[in-house]
């Protein structure tokens, strides 16, 4: 048997070798890591022009936290075009599974990449339709292979024509 | 002579002491509580108390559609979400008779094996942390796990709660650039495992704390339904990947590490070796993966025919099985979960009784349970 302690010293040599290496940690608020294009952040990107108010996203949500209220446009045929009055996403309960994004048949709803959405109250975490309209249109490529094909990485803004599988 | 009555000052009535470990003790890996009866430093009896993390996953599953339940399975064993996804979607596919394309089978195997690496890294890291090697080895292992999670983020956009598997395949194909990232990780990982072995396997403190401590015989392990690395450390060569190959495992070249003693050391050693085999399998998956579709189209609100099914896979901690009953509607009538962590706890008492309190922490650590899966 080897001398007692040699194994521990061998382990310490591994630790010693790390003196010359750079630390792998990141000092978060000062420097940030890059997210991959498919990263599911805490925000959503919504294209009003693409949305028909069909509420498939609300049905697909496992928690039922999407609330949609619509009314038909006055001069259109009934059932063809709806105006979205309320589009509340309660991100305080959301688990960001992106099932709503997956089921959206018109590619109107996308995941966003922002993840710093801390707030002081739960009621502030509800994303309303005005918030959705004001958010920067930087969709992530989660469930959107057509964006990967054009080389979109989630950092640039896309308009409603580029975001969908087919043009409007 | 009169006998002076004994004052009792020298003869002690020895009473065992009841010690509560947890539910917020750092070494119990979550909100898990152990009531230990101690005679001095020796453990006389152990009673695990759980339920602090109960979320009612089985009941929640009954009011969600089959696809939506996938998001719940991420949270069972939150250190191995991919394996949980896989076990669940396999059960639904067996129930609804959905075929899986070959490329998706390879993708599933690859993700499950990467997940096994990440989960075993955490098991080893926290075990050594509990042994007193404060933080440094744990950080070495966290670093490699971060790289695995980065790969997962590339593929499915999340780091812990993946929801990657879908009924009939997987949700995404590999992103551009994944090949290079995976190869870079695997090349680096081989070096890192060699480093872990240099760091751990000859350390005298580790050897004396773990070798020969709390052995579990193979017969007893089978009687108690222990599965996974804990069973294989006791000399029973049982691995569902070999015994009942699912997905692409029948085409994989891998060895199942088995040791004979069943003590703490063997349970740790088996996990260390399994990570190497998983890395090997991941490389083989990447090399042999065929082109083609990654998903068979299945309804989002799928309605499987009336029936019941039990389907199990070799998850990171043992045999993870899902028992599903369908009544023909969009939600499962019953979703039972056979979680390996919970059933491996059966042997906790006999592993700990007779050993010291300090060994209790180590025995608990080598069992590698996850409280999210114990309580469900």
């Amino acid at each position: 048997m080897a001398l007692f302690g040699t194994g521990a010293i061998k382990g310490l040599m591994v630790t010693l070798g790390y003196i010359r290496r750079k630390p792998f940690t990141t000092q978060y608020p000062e420097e940030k890591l890059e997210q991959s294009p498919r990263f599911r952040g805490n925000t959503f990107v919504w294209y009003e022009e693409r949305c028909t108010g069909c509420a498939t996203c609300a049905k697909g949500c496992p928690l039922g936290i999407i609330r949609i209220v619509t009314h038909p446009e006055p001069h259109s045929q009934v059932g063809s075009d709806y105006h979205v009055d309320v589009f509340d996403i309660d991100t305080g309960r959301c688990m960001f599974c992106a099932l709503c994004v997956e089921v959206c048949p018109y590619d109107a709803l996308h995941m966003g990449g922002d993840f710093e959405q801390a707030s002081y109250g739960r009621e502030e975490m509800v994303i309303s339709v005005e918030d959705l309209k004001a958010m920067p249109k930087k969709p992530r490529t989660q469930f959107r292979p057509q964006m990967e094909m054009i080389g979109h990485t989630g950092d640039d803004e896309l308009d409603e024509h580029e975001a969908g599988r087919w043009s409007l | 002579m009169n006998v002076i009555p004994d004052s009792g000052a020298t003869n002690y009535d020895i009473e065992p002491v009841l010690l509560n470990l947890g539910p917020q003790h750092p070494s119990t890996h979550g909100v898990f509580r152990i009531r230990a009866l101690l005679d001095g430093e020796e453990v006389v009896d152990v009673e695990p108390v759980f339920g602090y993390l109960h979320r009612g996953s089985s009941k929640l599953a009954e009011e969600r559609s089959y696809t939506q339940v996938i998001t719940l399975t991420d949270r069972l064993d939150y250190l191995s979400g991919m394996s949980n996804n896989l076990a669940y979607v396999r059960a639904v596919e067996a129930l609804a008779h959905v075929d899986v394309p070959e490329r998706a089978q390879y993708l599933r195997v690859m993700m499950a094996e990467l997940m096994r690496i990440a989960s075993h890294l955490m098991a080893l890291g926290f075990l050594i942390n509990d042994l007193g090697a404060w933080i440094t080895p744990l950080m070495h292992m966290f670093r490699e796990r971060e790289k695995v999670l980065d790969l997962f983020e590339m593929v499915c956009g999340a780091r812990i709660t993946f929801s990657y598997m879908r009924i009939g395949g997987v949700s995404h194909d590999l992103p551009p650039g994944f090949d290079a990232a995976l190869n870079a990780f695997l090349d680096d990982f081989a070096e890192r495992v060699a480093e872990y072995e240099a760091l751990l396997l000859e350390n005298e403190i580790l050897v004396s704390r773990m070798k020969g401590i709390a052995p579990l015989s193979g017969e007893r392990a089978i009687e108690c339904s222990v599965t996974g690395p804990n069973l294989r450390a006791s000399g029973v060569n049982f691995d569902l990947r070999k015994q009942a190959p699912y997905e692409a495992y029948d085409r994989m070249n891998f060895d199942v590490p088995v040791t004979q003693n069943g003590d703490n050391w063997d349970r740790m050693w088996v996990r260390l070796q399994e990570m190497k085999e998983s890395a090997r399998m991941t490389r083989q998956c990447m090399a042999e993966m065929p082109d083609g579709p990654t998903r068979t189209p299945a309804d989002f609100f799928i309605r499987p025919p009336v029936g019941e099914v039990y389907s199990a896979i070799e998850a990171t901690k043992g045999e993870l099985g899902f028992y599903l009953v369908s009544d023909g509607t969009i939600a499962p009538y019953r979703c039972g979960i056979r979680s390996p962590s919970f059933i491996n706890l059966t042997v906790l008492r006999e592993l700990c009784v007779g050993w010291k309190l300090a060994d209790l922490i180590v025995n608990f650590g080598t069992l590698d349970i996850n409280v999210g899966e114990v309580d469900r």
Side-chain angles (χ1 to χ4, degrees):
Chain A
M1 186 180 162
L3 191 66
F4 187 86
T6 47
I9 288 170
K10 196 179 164 191
L12 276 176
M13 295 307 286
V14 174
T15 315
L16 206 62
Y18 272 88
I19 286 181
R20 288 178 287 112
R21 300 177 68 162
K22 279 186 183 172
F24 72 98
T25 45
T26 315
Q27 300 301 321
Y28 161 59
E30 286 83 31
E31 36 180 322
K32 285 180 187 174
L33 294 172
E34 267 196 30
Q35 272 74 44
S36 59
R38 286 178 186 173
F39 176 69
R40 311 201 289 249
N42 287 15
T43 53
F44 292 88
V45 175
W46 180 60
Y47 292 99
E48 193 187 1
E49 300 85 356
R50 299 196 76 89
C51 186
T52 60
C54 66
T56 312
C57 46
K59 287 171 204 151
C61 178
L63 301 166
I65 57 170
I66 301 179
R67 183 166 156 266
I68 293 184
V69 177
T70 57
H71 72 262
E73 294 283 350
H75 300 298
S76 68
Q77 274 187 310
V78 174
S80 70
D81 202 1
Y82 283 88
H83 185 265
V84 179
D85 302 321
V86 178
F87 196 132
D88 282 352
I89 306 177
D90 186 359
T91 53
R93 290 176 60 206
C94 182
M95 54 186 174
F96 309 103
C97 61
L99 280 180
C100 50
V101 176
E102 183 184 2
V103 296
C104 180
Y106 300 103
D107 288 1
L109 191 65
H110 308 261
M111 298 303 290
D114 203 355
F115 55 91
E116 291 163 324
Q117 301 290 317
S119 68
Y120 283 102
R122 285 192 158 260
E123 59 278 359
E124 296 169 37
M125 304 186 88
V126 179
I127 299 179
S128 67
V129 68
E130 282 75 27
D131 298 339
L132 279 173
K133 280 176 188 167
M135 267 178 198
K137 308 291 185 207
K138 292 179 182 173
R140 291 277 155 174
T141 61
Q142 178 80 7
F143 291 113
R144 299 287 181 258
Q146 75 273 10
M147 289 186 193
E148 276 173 13
M149 277 194 274
I150 61 170
H152 178 62
T153 55
D155 301 325
D156 319 315
E157 297 217 356
L158 289 186
D159 62 24
E160 70 271 15
H161 301 289
E162 295 165 315
R165 270 166 285 190
W166 49 85
S167 56
L168 284 170
Chain B
M1 275 184 74
N2 287 338
V3 178
I4 302 167
D6 194 349
S7 67
T10 49
N11 289 344
Y12 297 105
D13 284 337
I14 297 180
E15 275 186 20
V17 176
L18 185 70
L19 182 81
N20 264 308
L21 262 178
Q24 284 162 355
H25 191 271
S27 72
T28 53
H29 304 185
V31 277
F32 188 81
R33 179 173 163 214
I34 303 173
R35 283 156 54 94
L37 204 60
L38 302 179
D39 176 5
E41 222 183 320
E42 201 176 297
V43 178
V44 181
D45 197 2
V46 161
E47 186 193 0
V49 184
F50 32 74
Y52 293 95
L53 202 57
H54 178 71
R55 290 149 299 175
S57 297
S58 294
K59 193 69 191 167
L60 287 172
E62 289 169 19
E63 51 193 39
R64 272 157 184 78
S65 80
Y66 284 93
T67 308
Q68 289 171 345
V69 174
I70 294 172
T71 58
L72 297 176
T73 61
D74 288 331
R75 289 147 175 87
L76 289 178
D77 176 357
Y78 39 78
L79 292 179
S80 54
M82 286 286 185
S83 303
N84 303 338
N85 281 182
L86 179 57
Y88 172 73
V89 295
R90 275 187 55 76
V92 181
E93 281 157 8
L95 196 61
H97 311 294
V98 180
D99 291 329
V100 182
E102 199 171 356
R103 184 175 172 85
Q105 293 185 358
Y106 275 90
L107 279 171
R108 285 176 172 191
V109 169
M110 194 163 86
M111 293 306 149
E113 292 308 319
L114 281 174
M115 197 74 252
R116 195 181 308 277
I117 292 175
S119 174
H120 284 353
L121 280 173
M122 282 295 91
L124 288 175
F126 279 109
L127 169 68
I128 295 154
N129 201 23
D130 294 345
L131 275 164
W134 185 245
I135 292 294
T136 304
L138 177 65
M139 274 303 171
H140 283 248
M141 289 163 189
F142 253 118
R143 179 191 55 211
E144 300 319 307
R145 177 173 177 263
E146 280 299 305
K147 290 177 185 165
V148 178
L149 296 189
D150 283 343
L151 291 174
F152 285 147
E153 190 193 306
M154 278 180 82
V155 175
C156 67
R159 301 171 70 83
I160 302 286
T161 52
F162 309 105
S163 302
Y164 178 58
M165 312 280 174
R166 286 291 184 280
I167 296 153
V170 294
S171 61
H172 293 83
D173 204 346
L174 296 179
F178 183 81
D179 209 343
L182 181 69
N183 278 331
F185 164 71
L186 288 175
D187 292 342
D188 185 52
F189 187 67
E191 281 175 39
R192 295 286 91 81
V193 171
E195 215 175 77
Y196 298 152
E197 290 182 340
L199 194 65
L200 304 175
L201 289 185
E202 287 175 46
N203 190 312
E204 283 83 2
I205 302 169
L206 222 62
V207 171
S208 56
R209 286 289 302 274
M210 295 176 80
K211 238 176 199 161
I213 308 289
L216 177 69
S217 71
E219 293 81 34
R220 192 66 193 136
I222 293 173
E223 279 170 12
C224 293
S225 303
V226 174
T227 48
N230 298 330
L231 179 66
R232 294 192 281 279
S234 300
V236 183
N237 188 355
F238 178 77
D239 190 326
L240 282 176
R241 293 173 293 171
K242 281 277 188 205
Q243 261 70 23
Y246 49 91
E247 306 298 341
Y249 277 114
D250 50 346
R251 283 153 272 171
M252 295 286 131
N253 304 319
F254 68 104
D255 303 321
V256 179
V258 178
T259 54
Q260 298 304 321
N261 300 328
D263 56 2
N264 281 340
W265 181 264
D266 282 1
R267 282 193 281 272
M268 182 196 82
W269 193 84
V270 162
R271 291 201 170 85
L272 203 52
Q273 302 307 311
E274 275 194 5
M275 290 197 298
K276 287 190 202 168
E277 296 300 320
S278 295
R280 205 175 123 198
M281 262 188 273
T282 313
R283 214 181 267 280
Q284 193 195 345
C285 274
M286 202 67 218
E288 293 180 3
M289 192 179 294
D291 286 332
T294 55
R295 195 169 171 184
T296 310
D299 286 346
F300 186 83
F301 293 105
I302 189 172
R303 292 169 190 264
V306 177
E308 58 180 347
V309 71
Y310 174 78
S311 166
I313 68 158
E314 184 76 25
T316 56
K317 296 181 170 63
E319 180 188 332
L320 174 65
F322 274 85
Y323 170 69
L324 288 176
V325 181
S326 166
D327 56 355
T329 56
I330 59 169
Y333 178 77
R334 172 91 178 88
C335 173
I337 305 159
R338 184 235 188 258
S339 62
S341 296
F342 177 64
I343 292 171
N344 287 355
L345 272 180
T346 316
V347 292
L348 178 67
R349 185 178 174 276
E350 52 198 273
L351 284 188
C352 296
V353 168
W355 298 95
K356 298 274 192 286
L357 175 64
D359 295 327
L360 185 148
I361 303 293
V362 186
N363 300 344
F364 183 73
T366 54
L367 268 184
D368 185 23
I369 66 142
N370 184 304
V371 183
E373 202 176 40
V374 172
D375 293 341
R376 301 196 286 285

